[in-house]
């Protein structure tokens, strides 16, 4: 990776005051500053960022927290800011007639290393993302000239405390999603994973102060750049006579030994937004709100895990994981976690997370024990599927309740992300009734979910299944030749489908998800399980009805639904009689139902092609004097020919219809399976006849 400087002439920055240094990603700031002596750092803070009176104190706070990463020290200052170009010997000129603005960007030596993002440009992605949210929400406004979003009804807050928060972009829906009555007054957004500029923070403070608010509380996640920039803006605002306080939130439970930098601010910060917003809405004063949210933050912890990293627009992934590894204890800026573990089932991963978060030997643990009442947040870090999120939520609730912990409230969704990181974090907050009242208070913030105002634990989660209608009388189990014959037919169908599993899967991979064989195998195993119960099989209508129920419940996919429809409809004509004409009518009824709901027609390259071909032959059974086996033999051959012909058809229905016909050079797997079923029936009946 190579750091370079892009220069756009837009106007010369002031000699002192807010700089653009903290717009760069946090890890990069550390790499730039760490190799420099303290005297150089002091010069940077004095010249670029702070009034000289503040620089020494801020320097003492920042310097111990930076970890050298071996960046070369060579480099020149450009237009009085600390944007370095490693290895450069050129002193960039300072223009007098026009001002100059520097933007630090990262470029890979190979473009193939960068991630794909749906952005217009790396430089403007944070601006455009914030503008898009504001454009779609009439309750928000942008502050002209700054990357700041505010409530559109700002003037209605006279006499009440304003709440401002923010941080780097890339954590959406945080932070702009939490602006609204009962939560934040406004947010200040930085570039992706970078702290907001001091000037923008100060402008936001001034804007809410000039609207007549009774002071401003800054809610800041515990990161060096955020603390510095919000802290500098707060001091400047206080110097202007504006009442401002700041709370720094650290809810990270990853570190067993407390780091000098403290616990990082993670998803738990969202709960602080909610509690502080409810207090402000009640008219509570600035200092009291700050005191109470600090108390709440002490009873809260968050831990995250991820299957892989994320990537800042224009850059490659921030860290690499082996295919069988999971990162544990990571933050929300793409940084690696505290350790890695082998991939494991969701229950084991959640158990590991809860054990770590509640272990009393962990200095950053949450004091949760049996009998505790908590609020649980299951937070998607950006790229986890909702299916996985639900599994994690189920595991978290089961495991917590299994430990005797009462879950008073639960939230599941994306609340504070790390771009597209496929991971999840769990947040636990110890709660009591007064705190729950604040969490339950109404808010208009778009990203705050509609949380049920009732406990999760103790609620009845399962309703009894409906009773099934009584079965019609049938013959004694295992009685009669017809029953024995039906059992042989079903057994042969099952063994045939099980033997075709891999072949059907291979055919399906060309046009679907490669599971056609698996679904038919599930159907066969379900029927085999039912046959072990020695059911009555003499009544064809009852047999078809029962098999349809089995396939609808066990087979899955569209195949299960289509077979279920076909067999349910086919069973109806067989209730009155079971001669050959009735079986022909049953075939007609099944085909009609399948076409009505499946919307397929003959020639659409589906299982219907084989069924339709066989059904046409079965029409002969409606004529008096026709016999079973000759017609069935012709029907089987027609079904097999129709299945083979599907490889030359263009798909008109089903998942294959979305695939280019040039890629469909194999028979449809559903049609092949149907033809195989007819062949199995014929073989059993031929043996019985012999």
């Amino acid at each position: 990776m190579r750091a370079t400087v892009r220069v756009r002439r837009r106007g010369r920055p002031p000699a002192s005051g807010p700089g653009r240094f903290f717009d760069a990603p946090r890890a990069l700031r550390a790499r730039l500053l760490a190799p420099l002596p303290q005297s150089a750092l002091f010069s940077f803070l004095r010249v670029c960022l702070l009034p000289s009176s503040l620089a020494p104190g801020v320097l003492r706070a920042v310097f111990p927290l930076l970890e050298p990463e071996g960046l070369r020290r060579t480099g020149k200052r450009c237009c009085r800011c600390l944007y370095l170009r490693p290895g450069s010997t050129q002193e960039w000129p300072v223009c007098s007639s026009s001002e100059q603005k520097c933007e630090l960007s990262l470029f890979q030596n190979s473009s193939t290393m960068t991630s794909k993002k749906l952005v217009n440009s790396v430089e403007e992605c944070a601006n455009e993302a914030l503008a898009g949210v504001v454009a779609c929400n009439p309750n928000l406004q942008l502050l002209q000239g700054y990357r700041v979003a505010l409530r559109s009804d700002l003037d209605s807050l006279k006499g009440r405390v304003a709440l401002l928060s923010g941080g780097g972009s890339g954590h959406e829906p945080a932070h702009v999603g939490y602006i609204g009555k009962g939560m934040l007054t406004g947010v200040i957004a930085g570039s992706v994973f970078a702290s907001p500029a001091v000037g923008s923070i100060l402008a936001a403070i001034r804007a809410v102060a000039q609207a007549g608010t009774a002071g401003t509380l800054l809610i800041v996640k515990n990161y060096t750049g955020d603390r510095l920039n919000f802290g500098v803006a707060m001091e400047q605002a206080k110097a202007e006579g504006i009442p401002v306080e700041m709370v720094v939130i650290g809810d990270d439970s990853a570190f067993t030994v407390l780091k000098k930098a403290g616990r990082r601010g993670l998803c738990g910060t969202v709960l602080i937004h909610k509690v502080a917003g409810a207090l402000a809405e009640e008219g509570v004063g600035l200092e009291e709100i700050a005191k109470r949210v600090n108390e709440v933050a002490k009873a809260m912890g968050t831990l995250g895990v991820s299957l892989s990293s994320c990537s800042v627009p224009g850059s490659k992934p921030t860290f690499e994981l082996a295919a069988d590894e999971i990162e544990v204890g990571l933050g929300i800026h793409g940084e690696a976690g505290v350790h890695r573990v082998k991939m494991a089932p969701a229950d084991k991963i959640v158990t590991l997370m809860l054990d770590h978060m509640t272990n009393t030997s962990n200095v950053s643990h949450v004091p949760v024990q049996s009998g505790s009442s908590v609020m649980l947040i299951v937070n998607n870090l950006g790229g986890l599927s909702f299916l996985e999120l639900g599994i994690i939520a189920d595991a978290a609730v089961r495991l917590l309740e299994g430990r005797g912990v009462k879950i008073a409230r639960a939230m599941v969704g994306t609340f504070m992300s790390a771009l597209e990181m496929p991971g999840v974090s769990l947040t636990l907050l110890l709660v009591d009734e007064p705190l729950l009242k604040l969490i339950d208070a109404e808010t208009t913030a778009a990203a705050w979910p509609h949380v049920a105002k009732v406990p999760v634990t103790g609620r009845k989660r399962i309703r009894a299944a409906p009773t099934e209608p009584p079965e019609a009388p049938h013959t004694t189990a295992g009685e009669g030749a017809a029953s024995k014959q039906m059992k042989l037919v079903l057994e042969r169908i099952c063994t045939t489908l099980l033997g075709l599993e891999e072949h059907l899967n291979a055919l399906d991979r060309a046009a679907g998800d490669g599971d056609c064989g698996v679904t038919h195998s599930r159907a066969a195993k379900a029927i085999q399980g039912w046959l072990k119960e020695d059911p009555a099989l003499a009544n064809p209508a009852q047999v078809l009805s029962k098999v349809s129920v089995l396939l609808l419940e066990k087979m899955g996919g569209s195949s299960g639904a289509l077979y279920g429809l076909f067999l349910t409809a086919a069973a109806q004509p067989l209730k009155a009689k079971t001669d050959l004409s009735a079986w022909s009518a049953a075939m007609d009824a099944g085909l009609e139902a399948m076409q009505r709901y499946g919307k397929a027609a003959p020639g659409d390259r589906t299982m219907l092609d084989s069924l339709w071909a066989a059904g046409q032959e079965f029409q002969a059974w409606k004529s008096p004097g026709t016999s079973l086996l000759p017609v069935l033999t012709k029907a089987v051959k027609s079904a097999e020919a129709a299945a083979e012909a599907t490889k030359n058809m263009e798909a008109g229905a089903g998942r294959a219809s979305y695939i280019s016909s040039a890629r469909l050079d194999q028979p449809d797997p559903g049609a092949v399976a149907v033809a195989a079923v007819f062949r199995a029936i014929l073989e059993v009946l031929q043996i019985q006849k012999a």
Side-chain angles (χ1 to χ4, degrees), residues 486 538-545 567-587 589:
M486 182 68 78
N539 188 316
Q542 290 181 12
V543 172
L544 295 189
S545 295
L567 294 174
T568 299
Q572 305 315 306
L574 296 173
K575 289 180 177 180
K577 55 182 181 177
T578 58
D579 59 11
L580 291 180
S581 64
W583 280 102
S584 179
M587 190 71 169

Side-chain angles (χ1 to χ4, degrees), residues 546-562:
K546 180 59 180 180
V547 172
S548 73
V549 172
L550 285 173
L551 300 190
L552 287 169
E553 291 180 353
K554 305 294 186 181
M555 188 175 186
S558 57
S559 295
L562 289 169

Side-chain angles (χ1 to χ4, degrees), residues 584 587-588 591 610-622 626-628 630-639:
S584 179
M587 190 71 169
D588 292 343
L591 287 168
S610 291
L611 283 168
W612 181 267
Q616 297 309 296
E617 299 297 339
F618 289 169
Q619 296 299 314
W621 283 340
K622 294 178 181 178
T626 54
S627 56
L628 171 64
V631 173
L632 182 57
T633 302
K634 291 180 64 178
V636 171
K637 292 180 179 179
S638 294

Side-chain angles (χ1 to χ4, degrees), residues 408-409 440-442 451-455:
R409 301 288 187 273
D440 289 342
E442 295 297 324
V451 182
K453 300 176 183 179
V454 293

